[in-house]
Structures are given as C-alpha cells and as structure tokens.
Amino acid sequence: MKKLSYETLKEQNYSGYLLEDAPERVLQFGEGNFLRAFVDYFIDVMNEKAGFNSKVVLCQPIRSGLSDMINEQEGLYTLFLRGFQDGQEVNKKRVISCVSRCLNPYSDFEAVLECASNPDLRFITCNTTEAGIAYDPSCQFTDTPANSYPGKLTQFLYRRFQKFGQEEGKGFIILSCELIDDNGKELEKCVLKYAEQWNLGEDFIAWIKKENTFCSTLVDRIVTGYPRNEADAICEELGYKDNLIDTGEIFGFWVIEGPQSIKDEFPVDKAELPILITDNHKPYKQRKVRILNGAHTSFVLGAYLAGQDIVRDCMHDDVICGFMNKTIYDEIIPTLNLPKEELLDFASAVTERFKNPFIDHALLAISLNSTSKWKARVMPSLKEYIKRQGSLPACITASFAFYIAFFNGHTLTEDGLVASRKGNDYTVKDDKNVLEFYLAHKDDSVEDLVHAVCTNTDFWGEDLTALEGFEAAVCNYLTQIREKGTYEVMKSLL
Ligand SMILES: NC(=O)c1ccc[n+]([C@@H]2O[C@H](COP(=O)([O-])OP(=O)(O)OC[C@H]3O[C@@H](n4cnc5c(N)ncnc54)[C@H](O)[C@@H]3O)[C@@H](O)[C@H]2O)c1
Ligand SMILES: O=P(O)(O)OC[C@@H](O)[C@@H](O)[C@H](O)[C@H](O)CO
C-alpha cells in the first residue's frame, strides 16, 4: 500500500482541502498527538476558510520523536474527530496539510535556527507536556541545542533578534498550550532567566519584552492519538498507509489570553473556530481543570480498582457515573465562582463527552502522575468546599482514599510500581520519589499509611492532617475499601 503523500492523494483524485505550498508562518515546538489534533487542525481550517495561508514548521522538543515519520509523509496526516453533535453521530475525517516539515534539533539545530531568518514567521506554538517549561541552569547558550525547551526557544529568539532586532513587528506571538498554570508567563520567565544567565544583553531583553507576546492559553479537547486497534482497517479504507493517523473528540475549545489585535493576524472568528481571545483565561481554566480533569482524577482510580478500564464504560455504570456526578455537582461546582448556568452547562457536556462511543480513554492513561494531578486538580475543590461549607466533601475525601489504595503497590520496576487489582498486576506511574515513598509504606496499617501520605508536604505543599477530620475520614474510607472494595464505597456515597 502506498504511503500518504501529496502524490498519493493526487493519484486518488482526493477532493478535500489541501494546501501544498505556503510560507512557513508558524514554528511549533512539539509534534505530539494533541497539538496535531488541536492547534494544527485549527490552523488548517484557518487556511481553508480564512486565507491564513500558513505552513507550520515543527520542531521536535526532545531527542526521540516523530520527525522522520512526519517528513516521510510530507507533513500530511489524517485526523478523525468523532463523537456526537446535536444528537447525531459524527465522524469527521480531514487530511491535515498545514505542516511543512519536522526538524530534529538534536541532529540539525542550525536548521531550526535558520527559521529565525524567515521574515514571514510570526507565531510560535508549543506543547511540551507539564515537564517542558522548566528552567535548567545547566543549559548553556553554546549547547546545540540547549536541552530544555525554554533554552532552545531563547537560542532561537536570540537569532531572530540578531537578524531583525532593529525592525518593528518581527517578534512573535507565542501561544503556549502546556497544562501548567500561567503557561505563557512561565515560559517568558524562563526565557528572560536564560537571557540573563547567558549575558545576552539588555537590548535583547528589552526586545523580548517589547516585540514578543507570550500568551497563556487554556486548551480543551480529548485526543486519543493513533488508533492502534483500528489503524489497519482505517488505512485499508483510506487506500494509503498513514502512520500518523490522529483521533480525538469533536469538542474543542481554546482560550488565548492576549490583546484583541491578535485576531488581525490570527483569523479565528473568520474561520468560525471555537477559539476565544480574552484578557483573562483563568476562569475558563479553573472551570475546565476543576470540573473535567478534577472529575477524571477523582473517579478514575476508584473505578479502575472496581474493575473498569475505560472512561465510557464507567459512564454506563450507574454507581460510578453517579459518584462522578455527585462529585461534580455537589462538591466541585459549589466551590467555583463562575455563573452557575455556565458551570452546569459545562458539567453536563463533560458527561456527554465522557460517553463518546468513539473514544476509548484508558483509565490507566489518566492515572499517570496522579499525585500532582490530585494536588492541582482536586485539592483546591477540597479546600474551598471546607472553607465555604465548614464540612468535608464526602466524595472528594473518598477519592483521596481511592488514590492511596491505587498507589498501594508492592514491587518497583523500571516501568513503575506494580500493584494488584483483583489478583492481576497493573503498573502505577508517577515520579520516582512518589513511587519510592509508596514502596516504603507498602505494608503499613491503614492508619500509618494515611498518616504518612497526608503529612507528606512534598506531595501536597502542606500537611493535610491540618484539615479537621480529613485524616480520620480517609482512614475510614480506606478501611472500607480494603474490606469491600471501591465500588461499594462509591455506592454508599450516593
Ligand atoms: N491527549 C489529550 O487529550 C490532551 C488534552 C489536553 C492536553 N493534553 C496535554 O498535552 C500533552 C501532550 O499530550 P499528547 O497527547 O500530545 O502526547 P504525545 O506523547 O503525543 O506528545 C508529547 C509531546 O511532548 C513532548 N515532550 C515530552 N516530554 C517532554 C519534555 N520533558 N520536554 C519537552 N517536551 C517534551 C514530545 O516531544 C511530544 O512532542 C500532555 O501533557 C497532556 O497533558 C493532552
Ligand atoms: O492528559 P493528562 O494526563 O494531563 O490528563 C488526563 C485527562 O484528564 C486529560 O487528557 C483530559 O482528557 C484533557 O485535558 C481534556 O482536554
């Protein structure tokens, strides 16, 4: 079978939208599934509907990645967005043609730096996971490339400054998509730190601040990536081999914090895209992280221990879905300040999104790094609920016991901490220090384990035993989990 290329599509008389040649106006750090199903999809639609006429040059942020595969397919890949829209099942296929090529800075960093000499380049987009926006002082200006993403970006911006530093309007609009708080501002802070550390000069620092706009953004779309189980059948139907098929839900929402003038250059309205440009992205972020991600993190670990494997099946189980809804409607929403109607609409859409018949969202995938996720996504609801109601939120408190039960593994391997569900092994994945902690406490009594977890200020940034009644309530739930399982605990809370 022929592989996907412009030539293959021509031979097939492909009649969908394609943009073979256009100036590279976007540099993107990150070539993963999420960016390709979200940012690059939006750019592709802007090209088609709003004359954006831009290609995206990708830069692989770490040593291993997809650059060869992407270049072999001339940047083309097939995206499937699937789910329900207005009560109808929808399966939208689109060949994305906005990507020109993918550069690997570890084999040819100069090729990346050369992009800085392209006068058309105007946007930088990125998603380098929660780990990517980090300041690593060991990075040097002379490294080819600096290992950290902000280090690479600083090297790139310096080349731009050298080339166009005297001209106005030649800096970048930088759209950061990482799921950390204030992603754009954090990225800017790291870049400025490198500029200082590397003595790149006051003029460069002034240019960074004046000519570049670092936007913090909130992203929302469930992206499930390459459909391993269906890929052969899909390629058969497409009539070409596509190693980069990407899949996700239809829902998508991008909130960009920045000046309205961005729209003059980034025609999101003209292309009728679900992209909001606003002076404050935080309420949207809070709504999404607390409700959607918070729901995931609070029910997924208990549901996994109850025998479930994917999100959709949980939505068809009255007990688990009931537990999740109770958590959202009774314990999370009352802690948020946005208009109630908006919160309820968002929450009800979340349940529908989780039921998406096309999305097999694995509970184990969501369980990755649950310690920091529980802290960022669930703990703020716990604390705000206590502050507002003067009592403990039962489901959220139980979810902490689910988290402990899930992490109560017995053997550390290269892959993670091995634990058992109903006699079968699964692997807990989290930072090494977290896994080592749980290994050291593997044989603790309920009381000792809960006490050790609650008082681990490295995990939570504070001592959770200071929350009145919390430790005792978690002990009670963990005891019940050990006696009758997470499912019965969820049931008892409905
Ligand atoms: N998949 C989703 O539904 C979804 C939705 C919203 C946000 N996200 C977030 O997007 C991120 C990427 O998800 P994905 O599905 O594209 O995964 P992926 O594995 O397909 O891609 C990961 C990308 O991150 C880069 N990367 C990995 N570790 C890095 C590091 N230490 N420093 C710099 N770059 C690094 C990789 O090079 C690659 O480009 C995740 O952090 C996820 O939380 C995912
Ligand atoms: O992607 P993670 O691992 O940060 O979190 C798991 C899910 O909560 C997450 O992927 C959501 O589905 C996504 O954030 C929806 O936009």
Side-chain angles (χ1 to χ4, degrees):
M1 190 182 285
K2 284 206 167 167
K3 67 170 181 277
L4 174 59
S5 67
Y6 285 99
E7 192 54 38
T8 308
L9 292 173
K10 271 176 209 145
E11 281 169 17
Q12 283 191 356
N13 295 321
Y14 177 74
S15 59
Y17 173 77
L18 288 176
L19 179 70
E20 195 164 350
D21 291 306
E24 285 176 339
R25 299 184 62 233
V26 185
L27 169 65
Q28 176 171 295
F29 286 88
E31 83 297 24
N33 297 316
F34 177 73
L35 280 176
R36 289 188 296 109
F38 190 77
V39 171
D40 301 328
Y41 163 77
F42 288 143
I43 290 174
D44 208 63
V45 175
M46 282 199 291
N47 283 339
E48 180 182 11
K49 296 198 172 158
F52 189 51
N53 194 39
S54 301
K55 282 279 191 176
V56 185
V57 47
L58 309 185
C59 173
Q60 189 179 295
I62 53 176
R63 199 174 284 278
S64 62
L66 301 175
S67 58
D68 289 344
M69 246 193 232
I70 289 173
N71 294 328
E72 276 163 22
Q73 294 189 185
E74 300 178 305
L76 294 167
Y77 58 95
T78 320
L79 173 69
F80 291 89
L81 297 179
R82 310 187 278 191
F84 275 97
Q85 217 169 22
D86 306 324
Q88 301 290 320
E89 217 174 88
V90 177
N91 186 349
K92 287 203 266 190
K93 180 194 97 169
R94 185 178 179 98
V95 174
I96 303 292
S97 61
C98 67
V99 173
S100 53
R101 57 198 171 128
C102 183
L103 303 172
N104 181 349
Y106 290 86
S107 54
D108 189 358
F109 188 44
E110 188 51 35
V112 177
L113 293 176
E114 266 173 25
C115 296
S117 303
N118 168 4
D120 294 321
L121 200 73
R122 180 61 177 143
F123 299 90
I124 294 180
T125 55
C126 59
N127 188 353
T128 54
T129 77
E130 285 90 328
I133 299 185
Y135 176 72
D136 172 359
S138 72
C139 291
Q140 298 302 320
F141 182 61
T142 46
D143 293 345
T144 50
N147 205 38
S148 75
Y149 160 52
K152 290 183 188 75
L153 180 60
T154 311
Q155 292 171 314
F156 182 80
L157 291 176
Y158 190 68
R159 178 66 74 89
R160 183 72 167 188
F161 169 71
Q162 286 180 312
K163 180 87 185 165
F164 294 114
Q166 305 308 317
E167 281 179 52
E168 264 186 32
K170 285 284 191 278
F172 299 108
I173 293 170
I174 299 166
L175 304 168
S176 167
C177 300
E178 286 78 0
L179 279 185
I180 60 165
D181 282 346
D182 294 310
N183 40 27
K185 299 296 159 222
E186 288 305 314
L187 181 59
E188 183 174 17
K189 271 193 220 159
C190 293
V191 165
L192 290 171
K193 257 175 147 175
Y194 280 119
E196 289 274 355
Q197 183 194 332
W198 295 340
N199 293 315
L200 298 178
E202 285 309 312
D203 287 352
F204 176 52
I205 291 176
W207 177 84
I208 294 175
K209 291 180 184 165
K210 179 164 177 285
E211 293 292 339
N212 297 274
T213 310
F214 287 81
C215 300
S216 291
T217 86
L218 159 81
V219 298
D220 193 4
R221 167 166 284 163
I222 297 171
V223 172
T224 31
Y226 184 72
R228 211 156 296 282
N229 297 331
E230 308 165 73
D232 287 347
I234 291 177
C235 289
E236 203 58 52
E237 198 169 316
L238 293 171
Y240 54 74
K241 177 97 185 122
D242 182 351
N243 289 319
L244 291 162
I245 299 172
D246 205 356
T247 60
E249 64 175 338
I250 289 164
F251 179 94
F253 188 38
W254 194 8
V255 182
I256 297 174
E257 186 173 301
Q260 291 302 312
S261 57
I262 290 178
K263 283 186 194 163
D264 302 341
E265 301 182 71
F266 206 57
V268 297
D269 289 349
K270 195 166 174 207
E272 297 179 321
L273 290 170
I275 301 179
L276 181 74
I277 298 180
T278 165
D279 59 1
N280 184 9
H281 78 296
K282 285 198 170 157
Y284 300 97
K285 169 134 193 182
Q286 192 189 52
R287 181 179 74 175
K288 187 251 176 173
V289 171
R290 297 267 195 100
I291 295 179
L292 188 150
N293 300 108
H296 265 159
T297 299
S298 50
F299 87 81
V300 152
L301 307 178
Y304 184 79
L305 292 178
Q308 295 290 352
D309 291 315
I310 60 170
V311 170
R312 182 179 57 254
D313 290 348
C314 297
M315 295 302 100
H316 296 296
D317 181 303
D318 288 345
V319 169
I320 299 177
C321 188
F323 175 84
M324 182 190 86
N325 281 332
K326 195 151 191 265
T327 311
I328 295 178
Y329 289 98
D330 295 358
E331 302 184 3
I332 297 176
I333 286 182
T335 68
L336 298 172
N337 288 329
L338 280 165
K340 190 86 187 277
E341 270 319 294
E342 271 181 38
L343 294 168
L344 294 177
D345 284 353
F346 185 83
S348 107
V350 162
T351 319
E352 289 309 305
R353 291 168 65 188
F354 287 180
K355 283 184 185 158
N356 191 329
F358 295 104
I359 300 259
D360 289 350
H361 206 173
L363 305 185
L364 279 183
I366 296 169
S367 79
L368 172 75
N369 296 332
S370 280
T371 308
S372 56
K373 282 181 184 168
W374 206 89
K375 180 183 177 204
R377 302 174 179 189
V378 186
M379 205 171 106
S381 301
L382 167 72
K383 291 182 60 184
E384 192 59 27
Y385 186 97
I386 296 173
K387 196 164 132 199
R388 293 190 186 193
Q389 314 283 340
S391 60
L392 289 170
C395 297
I396 289 179
T397 306
S399 86
F400 194 70
F402 298 155
Y403 155 76
I404 298 177
F406 183 89
F407 272 64
N408 200 195
H410 50 78
T411 311
L412 197 53
T413 68
E414 286 221 325
D415 272 354
L417 181 63
V418 181
S420 300
R421 170 178 80 167
K422 301 182 180 197
N424 294 313
D425 284 349
Y426 63 94
T427 304
V428 183
K429 298 197 178 191
D430 208 316
D431 288 348
K432 195 158 166 265
N433 66 315
V434 171
L435 301 181
E436 283 170 352
F437 168 90
Y438 279 98
L439 183 69
H441 290 274
K442 70 182 173 61
D443 298 319
D444 279 9
S445 64
V446 163
E447 287 73 21
D448 289 348
L449 179 58
V450 171
H451 186 75
V453 177
C454 287
T455 54
N456 191 323
T457 53
D458 287 344
F459 289 0
W460 318 115
E462 61 190 272
D463 181 346
L464 295 182
T465 61
L467 301 173
E468 200 184 329
F470 185 70
E471 182 180 3
V474 176
C475 281
N476 179 26
Y477 287 126
L478 189 56
T479 306
Q480 288 183 45
I481 292 169
R482 287 190 178 178
E483 283 167 4
K484 48 190 189 184
T486 53
Y487 196 76
E488 290 304 314
V489 172
M490 288 189 188
K491 202 191 256 178
S492 72
L493 286 166
L494 297 182

